[in-house]
PDB file of all heavy atoms in Angstrom:
ATOM      1  N   ASP A 170      20.407  40.090   0.042  1.00 98.00           N
ATOM      2  CA  ASP A 170      21.547  40.745   0.688  1.00 98.00           C
ATOM      3  C   ASP A 170      21.316  40.899   2.186  1.00 98.00           C
ATOM      4  O   ASP A 170      22.043  41.589   2.873  1.00 98.00           O
ATOM      5  CB  ASP A 170      21.855  42.101   0.019  1.00 98.00           C
ATOM      6  CG  ASP A 170      20.635  43.003  -0.002  1.00 98.00           C
ATOM      7  OD1 ASP A 170      19.613  42.641   0.638  1.00 98.00           O
ATOM      8  OD2 ASP A 170      20.680  44.064  -0.652  1.00 98.00           O
ATOM      9  N   ARG A 171      20.259  40.220   2.673  1.00 98.00           N
ATOM     10  CA  ARG A 171      19.997  40.251   4.112  1.00 98.00           C
ATOM     11  C   ARG A 171      20.072  38.829   4.670  1.00 98.00           C
ATOM     12  O   ARG A 171      19.861  37.857   3.933  1.00 98.00           O
ATOM     13  CB  ARG A 171      18.622  40.865   4.381  1.00 98.00           C
ATOM     14  CG  ARG A 171      18.627  42.363   4.089  1.00 98.00           C
ATOM     15  CD  ARG A 171      17.292  43.000   4.391  1.00 98.00           C
ATOM     16  NE  ARG A 171      16.218  42.391   3.629  1.00 98.00           N
ATOM     17  CZ  ARG A 171      14.937  42.423   3.986  1.00 98.00           C
ATOM     18  NH1 ARG A 171      14.577  43.030   5.090  1.00 98.00           N
ATOM     19  NH2 ARG A 171      14.032  41.858   3.232  1.00 98.00           N
ATOM     20  N   THR A 172      20.345  38.735   5.985  1.00 98.00           N
ATOM     21  CA  THR A 172      20.465  37.405   6.595  1.00 98.00           C
ATOM     22  C   THR A 172      19.078  36.814   6.864  1.00 98.00           C
ATOM     23  O   THR A 172      18.068  37.530   6.873  1.00 98.00           O
ATOM     24  CB  THR A 172      21.221  37.471   7.941  1.00 98.00           C
ATOM     25  OG1 THR A 172      20.382  38.148   8.891  1.00 98.00           O
ATOM     26  CG2 THR A 172      22.557  38.186   7.820  1.00 98.00           C
ATOM     27  N   PHE A 173      19.059  35.521   7.126  1.00 98.00           N
ATOM     28  CA  PHE A 173      17.823  34.846   7.536  1.00 98.00           C
ATOM     29  C   PHE A 173      17.288  35.441   8.843  1.00 98.00           C
ATOM     30  O   PHE A 173      16.117  35.292   9.166  1.00 98.00           O
ATOM     31  CB  PHE A 173      18.088  33.354   7.749  1.00 98.00           C
ATOM     32  CG  PHE A 173      17.758  32.475   6.559  1.00 98.00           C
ATOM     33  CD1 PHE A 173      18.138  31.129   6.570  1.00 98.00           C
ATOM     34  CD2 PHE A 173      17.059  32.942   5.467  1.00 98.00           C
ATOM     35  CE1 PHE A 173      17.824  30.280   5.506  1.00 98.00           C
ATOM     36  CE2 PHE A 173      16.738  32.102   4.397  1.00 98.00           C
ATOM     37  CZ  PHE A 173      17.123  30.767   4.425  1.00 98.00           C
ATOM     38  N   GLY A 174      18.158  36.098   9.604  1.00 98.00           N
ATOM     39  CA  GLY A 174      17.704  36.744  10.843  1.00 98.00           C
ATOM     40  C   GLY A 174      17.023  38.072  10.583  1.00 98.00           C
ATOM     41  O   GLY A 174      16.309  38.591  11.436  1.00 98.00           O
ATOM     42  N   GLU A 175      17.260  38.650   9.399  1.00 98.00           N
ATOM     43  CA  GLU A 175      16.709  39.979   9.089  1.00 98.00           C
ATOM     44  C   GLU A 175      15.427  39.919   8.276  1.00 98.00           C
ATOM     45  O   GLU A 175      14.633  40.859   8.304  1.00 98.00           O
ATOM     46  CB  GLU A 175      17.752  40.808   8.320  1.00 98.00           C
ATOM     47  CG  GLU A 175      18.968  41.164   9.149  1.00 98.00           C
ATOM     48  CD  GLU A 175      20.039  41.879   8.335  1.00 98.00           C
ATOM     49  OE1 GLU A 175      20.497  41.340   7.309  1.00 98.00           O
ATOM     50  OE2 GLU A 175      20.439  42.984   8.744  1.00 98.00           O
ATOM     51  N   ILE A 176      15.239  38.851   7.490  1.00 98.00           N
ATOM     52  CA  ILE A 176      14.042  38.811   6.630  1.00 98.00           C
ATOM     53  C   ILE A 176      12.835  38.316   7.433  1.00 98.00           C
ATOM     54  O   ILE A 176      12.975  37.739   8.518  1.00 98.00           O
ATOM     55  CB  ILE A 176      14.271  37.946   5.361  1.00 98.00           C
ATOM     56  CG1 ILE A 176      14.527  36.485   5.722  1.00 98.00           C
ATOM     57  CG2 ILE A 176      15.393  38.512   4.526  1.00 98.00           C
ATOM     58  CD1 ILE A 176      14.644  35.562   4.493  1.00 98.00           C
ATOM     59  N   GLU A 177      11.652  38.553   6.881  1.00 98.00           N
ATOM     60  CA  GLU A 177      10.425  38.129   7.567  1.00 98.00           C
ATOM     61  C   GLU A 177      10.327  36.604   7.546  1.00 98.00           C
ATOM     62  O   GLU A 177      10.729  35.965   6.558  1.00 98.00           O
ATOM     63  CB  GLU A 177       9.196  38.716   6.862  1.00 98.00           C
ATOM     64  CG  GLU A 177       9.078  40.224   6.987  1.00 98.00           C
ATOM     65  CD  GLU A 177       9.054  40.693   8.435  1.00 98.00           C
ATOM     66  OE1 GLU A 177       8.422  40.022   9.281  1.00 98.00           O
ATOM     67  OE2 GLU A 177       9.690  41.728   8.724  1.00 98.00           O
ATOM     68  N   PRO A 178       9.761  36.012   8.603  1.00 96.00           N
ATOM     69  CA  PRO A 178       9.621  34.551   8.650  1.00 96.00           C
ATOM     70  C   PRO A 178       8.951  33.980   7.391  1.00 96.00           C
ATOM     71  O   PRO A 178       9.386  32.959   6.873  1.00 96.00           O
ATOM     72  CB  PRO A 178       8.765  34.308   9.892  1.00 96.00           C
ATOM     73  CG  PRO A 178       9.017  35.493  10.758  1.00 96.00           C
ATOM     74  CD  PRO A 178       9.309  36.649   9.847  1.00 96.00           C
ATOM     75  N   LEU A 179       7.943  34.668   6.894  1.00 95.00           N
ATOM     76  CA  LEU A 179       7.244  34.136   5.713  1.00 95.00           C
ATOM     77  C   LEU A 179       8.149  34.095   4.493  1.00 95.00           C
ATOM     78  O   LEU A 179       8.017  33.226   3.642  1.00 95.00           O
ATOM     79  CB  LEU A 179       5.993  34.964   5.411  1.00 95.00           C
ATOM     80  CG  LEU A 179       4.784  34.625   6.265  1.00 95.00           C
ATOM     81  CD1 LEU A 179       3.603  35.522   5.871  1.00 95.00           C
ATOM     82  CD2 LEU A 179       4.397  33.157   6.130  1.00 95.00           C
ATOM     83  N   GLN A 180       9.074  35.083   4.423  1.00 97.00           N
ATOM     84  CA  GLN A 180      10.008  35.077   3.288  1.00 97.00           C
ATOM     85  C   GLN A 180      10.978  33.907   3.430  1.00 97.00           C
ATOM     86  O   GLN A 180      11.283  33.207   2.462  1.00 97.00           O
ATOM     87  CB  GLN A 180      10.773  36.416   3.231  1.00 97.00           C
ATOM     88  CG  GLN A 180      11.562  36.566   1.938  1.00 97.00           C
ATOM     89  CD  GLN A 180      12.275  37.902   1.827  1.00 97.00           C
ATOM     90  OE1 GLN A 180      12.163  38.772   2.709  1.00 97.00           O
ATOM     91  NE2 GLN A 180      13.004  38.084   0.750  1.00 97.00           N
ATOM     92  N   LYS A 181      11.442  33.673   4.648  1.00 98.00           N
ATOM     93  CA  LYS A 181      12.326  32.513   4.876  1.00 98.00           C
ATOM     94  C   LYS A 181      11.582  31.224   4.525  1.00 98.00           C
ATOM     95  O   LYS A 181      12.134  30.337   3.862  1.00 98.00           O
ATOM     96  CB  LYS A 181      12.811  32.500   6.337  1.00 98.00           C
ATOM     97  CG  LYS A 181      13.762  31.341   6.603  1.00 98.00           C
ATOM     98  CD  LYS A 181      14.228  31.216   8.038  1.00 98.00           C
ATOM     99  CE  LYS A 181      15.029  29.933   8.214  1.00 98.00           C
ATOM    100  NZ  LYS A 181      15.295  29.583   9.604  1.00 98.00           N
ATOM    101  N   ASP A 182      10.336  31.134   4.979  1.00 96.00           N
ATOM    102  CA  ASP A 182       9.551  29.904   4.730  1.00 96.00           C
ATOM    103  C   ASP A 182       9.333  29.642   3.236  1.00 96.00           C
ATOM    104  O   ASP A 182       9.016  28.537   2.843  1.00 96.00           O
ATOM    105  CB  ASP A 182       8.172  29.993   5.400  1.00 96.00           C
ATOM    106  CG  ASP A 182       8.276  29.985   6.910  1.00 96.00           C
ATOM    107  OD1 ASP A 182       9.324  29.571   7.436  1.00 96.00           O
ATOM    108  OD2 ASP A 182       7.307  30.416   7.559  1.00 96.00           O
ATOM    109  N   GLY A 183       9.473  30.692   2.414  1.00 96.00           N
ATOM    110  CA  GLY A 183       9.288  30.510   0.977  1.00 96.00           C
ATOM    111  C   GLY A 183      10.490  29.882   0.291  1.00 96.00           C
ATOM    112  O   GLY A 183      10.349  29.294  -0.778  1.00 96.00           O
ATOM    113  N   ILE A 184      11.683  30.021   0.904  1.00 97.00           N
ATOM    114  CA  ILE A 184      12.905  29.592   0.198  1.00 97.00           C
ATOM    115  C   ILE A 184      13.786  28.640   1.003  1.00 97.00           C
ATOM    116  O   ILE A 184      14.753  28.120   0.469  1.00 97.00           O
ATOM    117  CB  ILE A 184      13.783  30.819  -0.170  1.00 97.00           C
ATOM    118  CG1 ILE A 184      14.145  31.630   1.079  1.00 97.00           C
ATOM    119  CG2 ILE A 184      13.094  31.683  -1.208  1.00 97.00           C
ATOM    120  CD1 ILE A 184      15.140  32.773   0.799  1.00 97.00           C
ATOM    121  N   SER A 185      13.457  28.404   2.260  1.00 98.00           N
ATOM    122  CA  SER A 185      14.413  27.715   3.135  1.00 98.00           C
ATOM    123  C   SER A 185      14.608  26.245   2.771  1.00 98.00           C
ATOM    124  O   SER A 185      13.799  25.639   2.060  1.00 98.00           O
ATOM    125  CB  SER A 185      13.956  27.821   4.594  1.00 98.00           C
ATOM    126  OG  SER A 185      12.871  26.951   4.821  1.00 98.00           O
ATOM    127  N   HIS A 186      15.692  25.702   3.292  1.00 98.00           N
ATOM    128  CA  HIS A 186      15.996  24.271   3.207  1.00 98.00           C
ATOM    129  C   HIS A 186      14.797  23.435   3.689  1.00 98.00           C
ATOM    130  O   HIS A 186      14.437  22.441   3.102  1.00 98.00           O
ATOM    131  CB  HIS A 186      17.248  23.982   4.043  1.00 98.00           C
ATOM    132  CG  HIS A 186      17.267  24.640   5.401  1.00 98.00           C
ATOM    133  ND1 HIS A 186      17.042  25.985   5.563  1.00 98.00           N
ATOM    134  CD2 HIS A 186      17.427  24.140   6.647  1.00 98.00           C
ATOM    135  CE1 HIS A 186      17.102  26.283   6.854  1.00 98.00           C
ATOM    136  NE2 HIS A 186      17.321  25.179   7.532  1.00 98.00           N
ATOM    137  N   ARG A 187      14.155  23.907   4.773  1.00 98.00           N
ATOM    138  CA  ARG A 187      13.011  23.186   5.352  1.00 98.00           C
ATOM    139  C   ARG A 187      11.828  23.212   4.382  1.00 98.00           C
ATOM    140  O   ARG A 187      11.141  22.211   4.191  1.00 98.00           O
ATOM    141  CB  ARG A 187      12.673  23.878   6.680  1.00 98.00           C
ATOM    142  CG  ARG A 187      11.863  23.090   7.648  1.00 98.00           C
ATOM    143  CD  ARG A 187      12.023  23.611   9.079  1.00 98.00           C
ATOM    144  NE  ARG A 187      13.273  23.196   9.646  1.00 98.00           N
ATOM    145  CZ  ARG A 187      14.276  24.015   9.960  1.00 98.00           C
ATOM    146  NH1 ARG A 187      14.158  25.325   9.802  1.00 98.00           N
ATOM    147  NH2 ARG A 187      15.394  23.527  10.437  1.00 98.00           N
ATOM    148  N   ALA A 188      11.597  24.375   3.753  1.00 97.00           N
ATOM    149  CA  ALA A 188      10.492  24.488   2.791  1.00 97.00           C
ATOM    150  C   ALA A 188      10.768  23.619   1.569  1.00 97.00           C
ATOM    151  O   ALA A 188       9.860  22.994   1.017  1.00 97.00           O
ATOM    152  CB  ALA A 188      10.325  25.947   2.374  1.00 97.00           C
ATOM    153  N   ARG A 189      12.039  23.573   1.149  1.00 98.00           N
ATOM    154  CA  ARG A 189      12.387  22.760  -0.027  1.00 98.00           C
ATOM    155  C   ARG A 189      12.225  21.277   0.288  1.00 98.00           C
ATOM    156  O   ARG A 189      11.779  20.500  -0.563  1.00 98.00           O
ATOM    157  CB  ARG A 189      13.816  23.073  -0.475  1.00 98.00           C
ATOM    158  CG  ARG A 189      13.879  24.458  -1.088  1.00 98.00           C
ATOM    159  CD  ARG A 189      15.277  24.871  -1.482  1.00 98.00           C
ATOM    160  NE  ARG A 189      15.202  26.209  -2.071  1.00 98.00           N
ATOM    161  CZ  ARG A 189      16.233  26.881  -2.543  1.00 98.00           C
ATOM    162  NH1 ARG A 189      17.433  26.359  -2.524  1.00 98.00           N
ATOM    163  NH2 ARG A 189      16.062  28.076  -3.052  1.00 98.00           N
ATOM    164  N   ALA A 190      12.597  20.875   1.487  1.00 98.00           N
ATOM    165  CA  ALA A 190      12.387  19.470   1.872  1.00 98.00           C
ATOM    166  C   ALA A 190      10.892  19.178   1.918  1.00 98.00           C
ATOM    167  O   ALA A 190      10.427  18.133   1.446  1.00 98.00           O
ATOM    168  CB  ALA A 190      13.035  19.188   3.235  1.00 98.00           C
ATOM    169  N   PHE A 191      10.125  20.137   2.463  1.00 96.00           N
ATOM    170  CA  PHE A 191       8.683  19.900   2.585  1.00 96.00           C
ATOM    171  C   PHE A 191       8.019  19.762   1.213  1.00 96.00           C
ATOM    172  O   PHE A 191       7.101  18.949   1.043  1.00 96.00           O
ATOM    173  CB  PHE A 191       8.014  21.021   3.392  1.00 96.00           C
ATOM    174  CG  PHE A 191       6.564  20.758   3.620  1.00 96.00           C
ATOM    175  CD1 PHE A 191       6.159  19.699   4.424  1.00 96.00           C
ATOM    176  CD2 PHE A 191       5.599  21.528   2.998  1.00 96.00           C
ATOM    177  CE1 PHE A 191       4.816  19.424   4.605  1.00 96.00           C
ATOM    178  CE2 PHE A 191       4.248  21.257   3.175  1.00 96.00           C
ATOM    179  CZ  PHE A 191       3.854  20.203   3.985  1.00 96.00           C
TER     180      PHE A 191
END
Side-chain angles (χ1 to χ4, degrees):
D170 55 8
R171 289 182 302 157
T172 69
F173 264 171
E175 293 175 304
I176 64 175
E177 292 303 321
L179 279 180
Q180 190 177 358
K181 182 183 173 192
D182 293 342
I184 57 174
S185 75
H186 45 308
R187 199 158 283 113
R189 289 177 179 181
F191 184 67

